Amino acid sequence: MKRDLRVLAAAGALLTVLATVDAAFAQKQGGILRMYSPDSPASMSIHEEATIFAEGPMMGVFNNLVIYDQHVPQNSLQSIVPDLATSWSWNEDGTELTLPLHEGVAWHDGRPFTAKDVQCTWDMLTGKSNEKLRVNPRKSWYGNLDSVTTNGDYEVTFRLKRPQPAFVALLASGFSPVYPCHVPPRDMRSHPIGTGPFKFVEFKPNEYIKVTRNPDYWKKSRPYLDGIEYTIIRNLSTEVLGFVAGKFDMTFAYSLTVPLFNDAKSQLPQAICELTPSSINRNLLINRDKPPFDNRDLRRAMALSLDRQAFIDIITMGQGDIGGVMQPAPAGLWGMPPEILNSLPGYDPDVPKNRTEARQIMKTLGFDPDNHLKIKVTVRDIPYYRDPGVILIDQLQQVYIDGELEPVDTTNFFPKMMRKDYSVGLNLQFAGRPAIERGRRGKAKTAAVADRTETSGGRCSTDHLLQPRWDVSATARKGADADGQQHL
């Protein structure tokens, strides 16, 4: 299947491999799932992290109020199912979302889960509580949330400022677990306490993350696994060698580039390889608060410099389609039709014509073949960022802009971006349905002039551990990480 690689920063087409599976898919208890992780997060606190490298390993430690059904391949409002909530309902004007909660659920330290924990979590996310997050990447998700109220110990109501039908999709995201009221944020960074099927064991930065089975999990008979161990390996080739050698049972979701995917298949012919669309996108970020990038003509010239098909051809060996902010059809539900997309600045497939216009703009701004604009392109120091960053720099050079790659360790990258301590950057983001609504009201100070690239992914496992229906919390849950639509 062709993957959708959305825009500019054509990111590494990611996918996975599955090792040979036994013909019998009967559920079996036991076993440690061994995986690798391509990066080391700053902490174990999902609400303070912006990447799947903390979210993925920690999702099994927590539960959401609601979650996307893991047996439905395409996320939508219709695929959301209860988790800690037993159901949900809206009032008549669509401004109050009420969720009854499961009773008898306990935190890993034995304390009971109640509606107060839900209220505390979202008060913290919206900045209303005394306890503060060190970093709050998704605070903007809840700009339309007025308050969260409790009705006894087992019912909560989210009260919105105005109707937002897709609000429940934010709660279903993999980045929306419920935190315990009685554990301060600083402790959740190093030793998170959840209600999920796995208990946190240990995180050793740049080495490993370990979780173990929760024997008292409130969903009886789950999970099937005894634990999951993530070995942190930043080198993509080393990861593949480890999988081929049998050191790992499964590749990290969306972690293989197309060339490495093909390499794994050739070295391990019996592997089951799966390449599927995902909603990870790559985009060019421009800080509009920093001159000269406050000039919209300059930002337009940068957008016109991009050859999106070149990103796809180079990084993903042609496996992708150009799209806009939202994931294109058929994998996405809200993508722009090609005929409309091609009318946007920089999306005309005639790249030479686009760049001619860009150079004309740059000359009016005082730049020409003898006087180039010097910039730094800030990226995370991992291949999924560095590789498209190099291509971006080469393309910007075609319109009199000389870029220097500035790799930043993951632990510092997102705080740096949130402080707006950059001029030009390249980022990876999830794009899900909630972005449609939140984007209308976004107040971001960043211009994503280059849009995104959709990638694909999968997973790999050995026959003694791969089961068709693990507890959803045993693997990284799919979620709609909503980021508002940005404007030039």
Side-chain angles (χ1 to χ4, degrees), residues 128-200:
K128 296 177 181 178
S129 66
N130 292 328
E131 296 285 0
K132 304 296 181 183
L133 297 171
R134 180 174 55 186
V135 181
N136 192 352
R138 287 165 291 280
K139 182 178 180 180
S140 61
W141 283 19
Y142 302 107
N144 189 37
L145 177 61
D146 184 56
S147 65
V148 179
T149 59
T150 63
N151 180 21
D153 286 340
Y154 299 105
E155 186 175 277
V156 294
T157 297
F158 288 77
R159 303 182 189 277
L160 308 182
K161 299 172 186 176
R162 53 189 169 272
Q164 185 180 358
F167 182 82
V168 69
L170 296 175
L171 304 182
S173 164
F175 287 100
S176 301
V178 180
Y179 271 20
C181 246
H182 61 281
V183 181
R186 66 177 181 275
D187 293 342
M188 296 295 283
R189 295 172 200 142
S190 58
H191 196 102
I193 299 293
T195 58
F198 293 95
K199 291 184 175 183
F200 174 79

Side-chain angles (χ1 to χ4, degrees), residues 367-389:
F367 301 102
D368 56 40
D370 299 320
N371 180 32
H372 285 203
L373 173 64
K374 310 291 185 182
I375 67 171
K376 286 188 176 181
V377 178
T378 304
V379 299
R380 278 173 67 192
D381 193 13
I382 56 177
Y384 313 120
Y385 284 65
R386 293 194 307 264
D387 293 349

Side-chain angles (χ1 to χ4, degrees), residues 153-385:
D153 286 340
Y154 299 105
E155 186 175 277
V156 294
T157 297
F158 288 77
R159 303 182 189 277
L160 308 182
K161 299 172 186 176
R162 53 189 169 272
Q164 185 180 358
F167 182 82
V168 69
L170 296 175
L171 304 182
S173 164
F175 287 100
S176 301
V178 180
Y179 271 20
C181 246
H182 61 281
V183 181
R186 66 177 181 275
D187 293 342
M188 296 295 283
R189 295 172 200 142
S190 58
H191 196 102
I193 299 293
T195 58
F198 293 95
K199 291 184 175 183
F200 174 79
V201 176
E202 186 179 10
F203 167 45
K204 197 162 185 180
N206 297 306
E207 292 191 28
Y208 57 76
I209 301 169
K210 296 180 181 180
V211 298
T212 190
R213 184 176 186 271
N214 175 12
D216 303 312
Y217 187 42
W218 56 279
K219 294 182 182 180
K220 303 306 178 186
S221 78
R222 302 294 182 90
Y224 298 109
L225 295 172
D226 290 334
I228 308 177
E229 296 181 356
Y230 300 84
T231 301
I232 297 169
I233 303 176
R234 294 176 183 264
N235 185 284
L236 301 184
S237 297
T238 303
E239 294 167 355
V240 173
L241 289 174
F243 173 69
V244 171
K247 182 177 180 180
F248 305 114
D249 304 305
M250 179 175 177
T251 63
F252 196 90
Y254 317 123
S255 64
L256 299 182
T257 63
V258 172
L260 287 176
F261 179 65
N262 293 335
D263 187 44
K265 287 200 302 180
S266 66
Q267 294 190 59
L268 198 65
Q270 69 271 32
I272 300 173
C273 302
E274 185 178 45
L275 176 60
T276 58
S278 82
S279 59
I280 300 175
N281 52 52
R282 276 73 177 164
N283 52 19
L284 168 64
L285 301 179
I286 300 176
N287 188 343
R288 297 182 298 181
D289 289 343
K290 285 196 173 184
F293 304 103
D294 55 343
N295 186 312
R296 65 184 303 172
D297 291 334
L298 173 58
R299 299 197 301 271
R300 180 183 178 90
M302 295 175 75
L304 289 168
S305 75
L306 303 173
D307 181 353
R308 293 168 174 81
Q309 189 60 47
F311 281 91
I312 294 172
D313 292 342
I314 295 170
I315 296 182
T316 64
M317 301 177 70
Q319 298 293 311
D321 298 311
I322 296 172
V325 173
M326 302 302 292
Q327 186 176 18
L333 298 173
W334 300 93
M336 249 183 215
E339 62 273 15
I340 298 179
L341 188 68
N342 289 342
S343 68
L344 300 178
Y347 278 90
D348 187 323
D350 189 342
V351 175
K353 183 184 76 172
N354 294 340
R355 289 179 174 172
T356 296
E357 180 183 347
R359 285 189 284 268
Q360 291 172 347
I361 293 173
M362 293 297 290
K363 287 179 179 179
T364 66
L365 298 175
F367 301 102
D368 56 40
D370 299 320
N371 180 32
H372 285 203
L373 173 64
K374 310 291 185 182
I375 67 171
K376 286 188 176 181
V377 178
T378 304
V379 299
R380 278 173 67 192
D381 193 13
I382 56 177
Y384 313 120
Y385 284 65

